[in-house]
Amino acid sequence: VELPHLIDMLLSLILLWALPSSGLMHKHVYQLDNTYGSMEGVNVSFSIDYSELKADRDTGNHPSFVMGSPKKHSFSVISIKGQGKKIDISDFFASIAVVDKGPGKNQDLGYGVTGAFREYQSNSIDNDDLKFTGLVSKNYKDPKSKKAMAAHVALTKVHAEGLQRFLASTSEYALVLEDGIKLSSHGQKSIKDGGLMAKLEQLIDAAPKDFHEINLGRCMSECFRQNVTKDLGSEDKLVEAQNQLCSHAYLLSREGARAAVALFNRPIRYNNFMMKAWLFDTREYKQYSITPRLFEKEDPTKVCNSKGCRSIGECGLADMVTQESCDFKAPCQASGDCYSLDVADTQAFNFSFKGFESTKVGSNLDKLRPMLRSKHFRIRANYKFMMGCGFFTFPYMVLNQLEFAVREGLIGDKAPFVYMPESHHYHSCINDTAKGGQSSADFWHKYFEPISNVDPKSVKDADVWELTQDSLMSSFYDKNATHAYPYPGDSEWECGNTWLDNNRKKATKIVKEYIHAKKSFLDMAKSKYSQLFNREVNKPILGLHMRGTDKFVHGRVDPESYIRLATEHVQLNGPNSRVFLATDDKNYLSDMKQEFPDVLGVLEANRQDANVLYNDSVSKDQKCQDVLMDSLMLAQTDSLVKCWSAVSEFGVYFRSGDFPELPAYGEITDLESADEKRKMLFADPNTYSLATSEGKCSNTDPLPDYGGGKLGDTTCCPHVNAEFAKEAEAKKLKIGKPKTGKGAFVILAQNKKHQTYGRPGMEILNNTLRLLFKHYNDREHDDVIVMHEGDFDAEAQKAVIAGRPEIKFHHLKGEDWKDPPAKVMESRKHWAGVEGMGYRKMMRLYAVRIWPMMKKLGYRWVSRFDDDSYLLSEIPYNLFGFMEHYGIGYGYRNIARETGLIWPKPDDYSAYLRNYSKKHMEGTTGWYLDLCESKESVDDLTRENCGEQFGFYNNFFVADIERFLQPDVQNFLNYVDESGKIFTNRWNDLILQSSTVQFFLNKNATFHFTGWTYGHNSGYHDMLHYGIVQVGRFVKEPWRAYQYYMEHELKWNIEMHKKYLHNVNGLLTLVNPSPGNCCANEEPAGWDNPESVLTPTQFLC
């Protein structure tokens, strides 16, 4: 609804000051200083048109009324008056005190606009001009008329100027009156002895002491959800409500004026009264209104449709449309005549999509329960929804109000009842008995049986209670409410069949007791079903609900899904089987008739290309009957295929409540449930179920089955100390940086194409750093050391650092990055594997040299990230502080089992470890044998007994440097280093680091992180070639998160990755190669390496 041009003209204002001592009005107007001058060509000024305002005379364009004299308070009267001239761009700049320096001279025009002043005079101001200046917010709600926007801005600035003048005075209150207003019919009756001033003083006395504004002429307000602050008698009430719009007459306190001036001096978002309404919604502006209003516009705002135009009055569209000409009882909070229970979320009216406010429900209800149980619970419709909701939203309103009242024990001996007389797209109120007209049933009782024997018309308001309108909103989104499909706050990826079953159980309990279709419609549905189908011959019957024209909250379901399932039904059950179709879309109907010409049954209904809900040329009764019949027909079929919709969902409820003679559905398929969506992500539909917590894998430390590593739908993998409870505790404790020394992340990077994979080094490094800072280091500010071979010059380093001083560069030289001895180099052509020299130096760096190098750089703790690592969710604690707090020496995120298939002899490494243990460790093996089948002695350390090396996928690890510098560890690492086998046999940092931890560190000093999402991908980055992405336990909605990672962070095609998606230990895991052999403790029979895997050496989980 757009306001007409309130001020598409020049503005002037008049201020009248009341003497605080005598309480008498000045006879002379206090003339404003001509602040902005009146130079030639400037059309905005604040000059005065008349100099005297007598209490007993018509005030020009203001209404005739007796002003009267204040008795208790002092007032400033601000009169805002227009003169009928269009505003152009020069007026705008004049209004912000820009002075014309003459033709052709460029000058600063303010707000980022520079140019010659006169160049702007010929152009009318428009939205882009105002937004460009910065005076108007980019979020300004554009009026349809660009001229109207200029008027809004100018008028707001004039209001601000008047209020600033008020604040410069000693007056207590300001009365603001725009021109073009008149007393309402109620105002003429209400303003009597003592005049307007007496009325204002009555309002001041009644209002809360800290009030900011009392609107004297509100328009378009949400009267249905107003709260009565004070009943003033003679119909007058002081109320507060959302959208107390229009600023043509209002009263302000000094605190209110300060708040309004501060608001108006911000970048303008709306016109001035919309800005105040916005501030009211944030609870920063204490705004009230008198109702019925005292003033109204001479030229009121109108709303028009094909049937004509209608003036909008004090109350807004919802009140106007629902009331029409009917006489019915207003909601309790609007009338103040009955008790309204407020249990709403504080921002429910702003569609916060939150449930009941917990502080209002607990002990608060305990105090109110006896009083509420002594009254009838009157169930009403939510006005916020009424203007555009579907038919079955109304029974859901009833269902969820009853669920709340029953659960909280608020229904006593006096039965509840439904009262829905209002008009809307599905109902026209015919209740004019007060005017001698006809009366008819309200909406509810036309289509549903009464929920009790109470006659709504016979119950006095004093004997009922209701939920406030905001509480009705909260009742719809509360966690205990029954939902037909996921609402905001619910995750589409988590709302599967179990979620639906739980909702249906709650709903069925209430529906069976209270909610039943009217018998006449129930009989009609049974009759129509018998006409379409013969239960003895046509069986089974499949019900399909294809929602089309009005499906916008969730997207339409591909018709092919329905066709596929219907085809399977007919093929499986033979020619006598039938399909019933319920749809609002005539195109769906046409398609299905072509697909199933001989078996399809359908009811006649008014189907269109667009949503018939908003077409008031269609009979409202017919709309209701069509949708109710479809639901009751679906309730009778043998099985059901449906989408997210209240129509078919209520059909499921009706099945139990209104068709008790029928058996349960054979099957209900919800095509949009999370289960169906999850199946689409997997190559194998049978592996889609995501377990919770540890999943079904309770004994994987050590691995229990030594076999296929599979238990039901969950792949069970060995882990060591995956104690998520510690991570949850660390989050709660907000563990910070360690006290024993600094920690740093290390990343080995290249400023060139990768030698093996050809990927761009700088690009992937920047992505790794972006994710690390986004999900951790923007908060923790730990050092990040980028190690390199000298290929990052000063300019490249500056580009990477990009304002992040935590990033430092370290050029690898000398002992940390040297070639192997000449003797080792001589056999290079016989080295195992295809990796180059740089890769093998990297293996040596992370296996042997990282510990002394980082010690020398001054660090106690180190964590590795590769330049192809992805931190995809928040680590909610300091990683190094976590290690110190829990006494951990080594932490890892994922498991890898090295296959050994490229080694000269698969058992070479096991034999090497056995020999070292016997020679230097007296045959001890730490806890290495824990994951082996036989654990008797060091001789059991064989590939045949232990399977592939149980290793830590160490492209991420975090470790205590001091522990790895202890003699036992250093002796082992130096022994391996001197052998040259890192280079010759490709004994990589993964197996060496893993063996070191299992040989020398206490098992309880290791930790498996599972809380946050981590990924790593070797190879090209267009898809997962060789690596893993595992969603962490902190992520509340793993399926939605997975979709987000794939589409926005990794930019990988979901369809292409179906075959790589698994459930590992209850964690949603994208992994290639398959984790089966990783989780199994058996010797693999061999591996037919796919082309996409360049170094087939590991299985990951």
Side-chain angles (χ1 to χ4, degrees), residues 277-558:
W278 167 77
L279 200 63
F280 171 84
D281 289 347
T282 66
R283 309 301 192 201
E284 298 177 55
Y285 192 65
K286 299 168 184 177
Q287 185 184 35
Y288 300 85
S289 297
I290 182 173
T291 184
R293 64 185 179 181
L294 303 179
F295 295 94
E296 60 189 33
K297 294 291 290 181
E298 290 178 338
D299 182 18
T301 300
K302 294 182 172 128
V303 60
C304 303
N305 61 18
S306 59
K307 298 179 180 178
C309 295
R310 186 171 175 180
S311 297
I312 293 184
E314 177 178 344
C315 299
L317 283 172
D319 290 87
M320 183 179 75
V321 172
T322 57
Q323 187 83 33
E324 289 192 338
S325 62
C326 297
D327 297 317
F328 59 76
K329 295 177 181 180
C332 291
Q333 69 183 117
S335 69
D337 296 333
C338 43
Y339 187 79
S340 54
L341 177 63
D342 176 19
V343 285
D345 174 67
T346 54
Q347 288 293 309
F349 63 90
N350 267 339
F351 291 92
S352 63
F353 304 119
K354 294 181 180 179
F356 298 121
E357 176 64 46
S358 59
T359 58
K360 297 178 181 179
V361 174
S363 58
N364 179 56
L365 277 187
D366 292 339
K367 299 173 185 176
L368 296 172
R369 189 172 287 107
M371 181 270 291
L372 297 175
R373 287 178 61 86
S374 70
K375 299 175 182 288
H376 295 281
F377 177 29
R378 186 163 66 193
I379 298 170
R380 303 195 71 129
N382 183 341
Y383 279 53
K384 281 275 192 179
F385 289 167
M386 200 182 298
M387 301 301 294
C389 67
F391 175 89
F392 275 99
T393 303
F394 293 93
Y396 269 104
M397 292 179 194
V398 175
L399 170 59
N400 283 316
Q401 289 181 66
L402 283 168
E403 189 281 329
F404 167 73
V406 170
R407 172 165 43 88
E408 296 295 340
L410 304 181
I411 297 177
D413 294 334
K414 295 183 178 180
F417 62 92
V418 179
Y419 183 62
M420 293 184 175
E422 299 88 354
S423 290
H424 44 77
H425 288 295
Y426 285 111
H427 179 63
S428 290
C429 178
I430 309 173
N431 183 18
D432 298 335
T433 51
K435 302 172 185 177
Q438 296 180 342
S439 177
S440 72
D442 68 4
F443 169 77
W444 181 260
H445 297 104
K446 285 177 71 173
Y447 302 104
F448 298 92
E449 296 292 341
I451 68 170
S452 69
N453 294 323
V454 176
D455 178 7
K457 298 176 184 178
S458 67
V459 182
K460 295 180 180 179
D461 271 3
D463 201 25
V464 303
W465 68 275
E466 298 174 352
L467 288 171
T468 65
Q469 285 289 315
D470 286 1
S471 298
L472 294 184
M473 185 75 78
S474 293
S475 75
F476 223 74
Y477 299 108
D478 190 68
K479 63 181 180 181
N480 292 305
T482 297
H483 296 174
Y485 46 80
Y487 297 164
D490 297 325
S491 170
E492 293 183 37
W493 287 99
E494 303 306 309
C495 296
N497 294 338
T498 301
W499 179 85
L500 281 164
D501 288 343
N502 290 336
N503 274 275
R504 286 166 185 163
K505 288 176 183 176
K506 287 188 295 184
T508 301
K509 180 180 178 181
I510 299 295
V511 169
K512 279 185 173 181
E513 183 173 356
Y514 291 103
I515 302 175
H516 300 279
K518 204 168 183 66
K519 187 176 183 302
S520 58
F521 289 107
L522 192 59
D523 291 342
M524 183 188 303
K526 291 179 178 179
S527 174
K528 288 180 178 291
Y529 196 86
S530 296
Q531 293 170 23
L532 283 177
F533 308 114
N534 183 332
R535 285 191 182 276
E536 298 302 318
V537 177
N538 301 135
K539 56 184 181 182
I541 299 167
L542 172 67
L544 300 181
H545 182 214
M546 299 178 69
R547 185 176 170 187
T549 61
D550 65 342
K551 194 159 182 7
F552 56 89
V553 175
H554 303 276
R556 296 188 185 192
V557 176
D558 187 349

Side-chain angles (χ1 to χ4, degrees), residues 137 144 222 479 483 505 523 574 706 709 741 906 965 1014:
S137 166
K144 291 179 181 177
E222 293 192 353
K479 63 181 180 181
H483 296 174
K505 288 176 183 176
D523 291 342
Y706 308 104
L965 289 175
Y1014 175 77

Side-chain angles (χ1 to χ4, degrees), residues 846 864 866 890 894 952-957 989-990 993:
Y846 281 124
R864 172 183 175 180
D866 279 0
Y890 186 85
N894 292 105
F952 311 118
Y953 197 37
N954 71 327
N955 41 69
F956 165 82
F957 68 82
D989 50 295
L990 186 155
Q993 202 170 93

Side-chain angles (χ1 to χ4, degrees), residues 902-952:
I902 63 170
W903 299 338
K905 295 180 180 180
D907 196 50
D908 267 1
Y909 185 64
S910 299
Y912 190 86
L913 295 178
R914 289 196 305 273
N915 293 335
Y916 184 85
S917 172
K918 292 176 180 179
K919 186 174 182 179
H920 300 283
M921 299 171 61
E922 298 181 346
T924 61
T925 57
W927 53 276
Y928 191 100
L929 294 178
D930 284 6
L931 293 170
C932 300
E933 192 161 7
S934 176
K935 308 172 178 57
E936 298 299 322
S937 72
V938 66
D939 291 325
D940 291 323
L941 203 165
T942 65
R943 185 167 179 264
E944 182 179 5
N945 180 56
C946 298
E948 302 300 345
Q949 165 76 49
F950 174 81
F952 311 118

Side-chain angles (χ1 to χ4, degrees), residues 631-652:
S631 184
L632 292 172
M633 293 291 282
L634 291 169
Q636 301 176 73
T637 59
D638 298 306
S639 56
L640 180 61
V641 174
K642 61 186 287 292
C643 56
W644 291 134
S645 172
V647 177
S648 45
E649 190 62 20
F650 233 92
V652 178

Side-chain angles (χ1 to χ4, degrees), residues 958-997:
V958 56
D960 180 356
I961 295 169
E962 293 295 337
R963 181 62 188 92
F964 282 80
L965 289 175
Q966 294 299 309
D968 55 350
V969 173
Q970 285 297 301
N971 289 338
F972 172 69
L973 294 178
N974 290 332
Y975 186 82
V976 175
D977 191 27
E978 291 169 4
S979 73
K981 291 183 180 293
I982 293 175
F983 291 89
T984 60
N985 287 20
R986 196 192 173 275
W987 286 358
N988 61 17
D989 50 295
L990 186 155
I991 63 170
L992 290 170
Q993 202 170 93
S994 301
S995 300
T996 299
V997 170

